[in-house]
Amino acid sequence: MLDQDLKTQLAAYLEKLQQPIELVASLDDSDAARELDALLADIAALSPMISRAAGNDPRTPSFLIRRTGSDVQVGFAAIPLGHEFTSLVLALLQVGGHPVRIDAALAAQVRALPGDYAFETYMSLHCQSCPDTIQALNAMSVLNPRIKHVAIDGALFQAEVEAREILSVPTIYLNGQPFDAGRMSIEQIVARLDTGAAARAAAALHDVAPYDVLVVGGGPAGAAAAIYAARKGIRTGLLAERFGGQVLDTMAIENFPSVEYTEGPKLAASLEAHVRSYGVELVTSQRAKALQPAAAEGGMVGIELDSGATLRAKTVVLAPGARWRQTGVPGEAEYRNKGVTYCPHCDGPLFKGKRVAVIGGGNSGVEAAIDLAGIVEHVTLLEFDGRLRADEVLQRKLYSLPNASVHVNAQTTEFVGDGSKLQALRYTDRGTGASHQVEVAGVFVQIGLLPNSEWLQGAVQLSPRGEIVIDDRGHTDLHGVFAAGDATTEPYKQIVVAMGAGSTAALSAFDFLIRHSTPADAPAANAA
């Protein structure tokens, strides 16, 4: 099941097991069960600390990783390879006594949660967003045995997915009822369960001393800004609702210089580790609500949070990033996660054998259509413009596919459904004026990005597109406020460009501090 290189790597990890564990498998006579049985046999053969046992879970094939003689366990109704192999390895180690590496206060908060919680997470092995959620809930179940969690492969349990009308992953159920959908961190899950957490977090933030530089945003631009600021030896904070930003939703990255191929979540994890290595103070799971300009030269800039707290800094670097742009036509909001989706890699497997559509003829849209064509019965691509804007090589590939069709000059007018799930998509031919309806189970919207700048309205100058207006050094029109990345007027929305812009903004902020601080407060001019 596992090749020799993977076995060698896994065996090295399993040497870290501190307590014996058992793999409790509930199998049937399916091919998937035989595949899972082979995987578990390979794992058990790699360490004397691992034993096997037969289970009786009605959901087959599935298995538990259980700490011998205890209630600590993690469940998988899946063959956790692909993006979930890391989740499997972490579960083996953590159930086997290897420490869960999160903040001590957060771990204590998880252990103190009252009541019993049975979580089920529907995921896809092709989903790059799912592992964060799976690993968060697995870690919580190790810290608190009253929390149970099973990760379910939607492609493996298609009937269950259809019965619950799950059309996006990850989708989380708690005690049999819908809990949430989309990537979630431990902090976000705990905040939902512990209703007093937000107030306590806000109270703690009130006591935080002002920063020299406060970066708002945890994507490539924000990470680069934090690293470059911290290297100057000045007190640096980074505020982010989730670290990684839009990169977390990026499947393949093949144009990052010196790295031939990587994936978004891997790059985001590396960025976070790099930021933390410089001692940057991270404030996560908090959303910025408003920017308060400095009252006078030499005063502090404030960032007001949704929680009610306000963080203050001598300088601020805005790097809030962007999100998927929506069409804004009737039915889109109603059927979001009920057939309307924005991540073909995450949700594509849920539409296996069905008819789907893609809106958008740029690189993202055409790549999505090509990928989906290998899974679905038929994919229809709609482009508003009179021609596709994707690279020529992608266009040739799309037009060569027998189960793909393309309509240009197509203006999407309505998402149609029965109230619970999407059933069709309507569009108008801009050339003839004729109206058409395409029967589809899913629509993947790929029409670009929208800057996360609404909270800055009236505080800094924004372009007509809502982008933060900056000069070539990252300056905004506000004293002590800089900006970088996809939320700015920088024309090229690329990871490497965002990193360079974040570095520029941080260096500009440092230069600002030198020029506008009193001698006693100024950072050392010869800082590294």
Side-chain angles (χ1 to χ4, degrees), residues 65-206:
I65 304 172
R66 179 182 295 159
R67 183 178 297 169
T68 303
S70 79
D71 294 331
V72 175
Q73 64 182 40
V74 166
F76 288 93
I79 304 169
L81 299 174
H83 286 292
E84 291 301 338
F85 186 69
T86 300
S87 301
L88 170 62
V89 174
L90 283 173
L92 290 166
L93 295 179
Q94 291 170 352
V95 174
H98 192 67
V100 175
R101 299 199 179 281
I102 62 171
D103 178 77
L106 179 60
Q109 194 176 355
V110 172
R111 293 188 182 98
L113 287 171
D116 298 304
Y117 306 90
F119 284 100
E120 301 165 292
T121 303
Y122 291 87
M123 54 81 168
S124 162
L125 299 181
H126 302 281
C127 168
Q128 72 270 28
S129 300
C130 296
D132 285 354
T133 303
I134 301 298
Q135 292 165 23
L137 286 165
N138 283 351
M140 290 176 64
S141 66
V142 170
L143 292 168
N144 184 343
R146 297 181 70 179
I147 300 172
K148 304 299 182 186
H149 177 233
V150 58
I152 305 163
D153 182 358
L156 200 58
F157 293 89
Q158 194 71 38
E160 197 169 322
V161 163
E162 292 179 358
R164 282 183 160 174
E165 298 185 341
I166 294 169
L167 295 174
S168 68
V169 291
T171 292
I172 309 169
Y173 274 67
L174 172 59
N175 298 333
Q177 299 299 317
F179 178 74
D180 212 323
R183 177 190 279 109
M184 296 189 77
S185 64
I186 293 182
E187 291 89 346
Q188 290 171 313
I189 297 168
V190 171
R192 287 281 303 276
L193 300 177
D194 184 353
T195 56
R200 292 196 301 273
L205 290 175
H206 278 301

Side-chain angles (χ1 to χ4, degrees), residues 41-61:
D42 281 352
I43 294 171
L46 295 175
S47 171
M49 298 282 282
I50 303 176
S51 61
R52 296 193 60 188
N56 57 1
D57 193 310
R59 187 183 278 131
T60 58

Side-chain angles (χ1 to χ4, degrees), residues 386-402:
R387 62 181 180 85
L388 299 183
R389 293 166 286 106
D391 294 343
E392 186 63 31
V393 63
L394 294 174
Q395 293 189 42
R396 288 199 299 270
K397 175 64 175 177
L398 176 61
Y399 282 116
S400 74
L401 299 174

Side-chain angles (χ1 to χ4, degrees), residues 132-447:
D132 285 354
T133 303
I134 301 298
Q135 292 165 23
L137 286 165
N138 283 351
M140 290 176 64
S141 66
V142 170
L143 292 168
N144 184 343
R146 297 181 70 179
I147 300 172
K148 304 299 182 186
H149 177 233
V150 58
I152 305 163
D153 182 358
L156 200 58
F157 293 89
Q158 194 71 38
E160 197 169 322
V161 163
E162 292 179 358
R164 282 183 160 174
E165 298 185 341
I166 294 169
L167 295 174
S168 68
V169 291
T171 292
I172 309 169
Y173 274 67
L174 172 59
N175 298 333
Q177 299 299 317
F179 178 74
D180 212 323
R183 177 190 279 109
M184 296 189 77
S185 64
I186 293 182
E187 291 89 346
Q188 290 171 313
I189 297 168
V190 171
R192 287 281 303 276
L193 300 177
D194 184 353
T195 56
R200 292 196 301 273
L205 290 175
H206 278 301
D207 298 327
V208 173
Y211 299 99
D212 292 314
V213 176
L214 174 61
V215 179
V216 182
I227 290 167
Y228 268 73
R231 280 178 58 85
K232 294 298 184 182
I234 56 181
R235 184 162 180 262
T236 305
L238 187 149
L239 167 70
E241 189 173 7
R242 64 169 188 168
F243 199 97
Q246 194 74 12
V247 166
L248 290 171
D249 302 322
T250 303
M251 180 64 174
I253 300 172
E254 299 176 303
N255 58 349
F256 193 79
S258 81
V259 180
E260 290 186 11
Y261 175 86
T262 188
E263 295 173 354
K266 291 181 180 179
L267 178 59
S270 296
L271 286 172
E272 182 173 359
H274 198 172
V275 167
R276 289 184 182 276
S277 74
Y278 278 102
V280 175
E281 298 181 33
L282 267 61
V283 180
T284 58
S285 298
Q286 296 285 336
R287 184 193 292 267
K289 178 181 179 181
L291 185 150
Q292 302 170 354
E297 185 172 341
M300 296 289 172
V301 181
I303 299 294
E304 182 183 350
L305 309 181
D306 272 350
S307 63
T310 298
L311 298 175
R312 300 196 178 278
K314 297 175 183 176
T315 62
V316 166
V317 175
L318 301 171
R323 63 188 183 276
W324 293 117
R325 185 181 296 274
Q326 300 179 19
T327 65
V329 304
E332 181 179 21
E334 180 181 359
Y335 293 108
R336 182 169 187 174
N337 295 330
K338 299 177 182 178
V340 178
T341 182
Y342 303 84
C343 182
H345 302 294
C346 301
D347 300 333
L350 299 176
F351 296 90
K352 182 178 181 180
K354 299 179 180 179
R355 301 179 73 86
V356 302
V358 173
I359 300 176
N363 282 350
S364 295
V366 173
E367 287 175 347
I370 292 169
D371 290 345
L372 289 165
I375 303 172
V376 303
E377 178 187 342
H378 187 273
V379 57
T380 300
L381 185 141
L382 305 181
E383 165 56 37
F384 181 85
D385 202 355
R387 62 181 180 85
L388 299 183
R389 293 166 286 106
D391 294 343
E392 186 63 31
V393 63
L394 294 174
Q395 293 189 42
R396 288 199 299 270
K397 175 64 175 177
L398 176 61
Y399 282 116
S400 74
L401 299 174
N403 64 333
S405 57
V406 177
H407 300 281
V408 296
N409 278 321
Q411 181 176 359
T412 303
T413 57
E414 186 179 3
F415 296 86
V416 182
D418 62 3
S420 62
K421 61 183 178 179
L422 184 76
Q423 295 178 319
L425 181 67
R426 290 181 183 150
Y427 71 94
T428 297
D429 186 315
R430 296 172 59 236
T432 66
S435 180
H436 302 273
Q437 179 165 306
V438 183
E439 306 298 324
V440 292
V443 174
F444 296 81
V445 180
Q446 300 283 290
I447 57 173

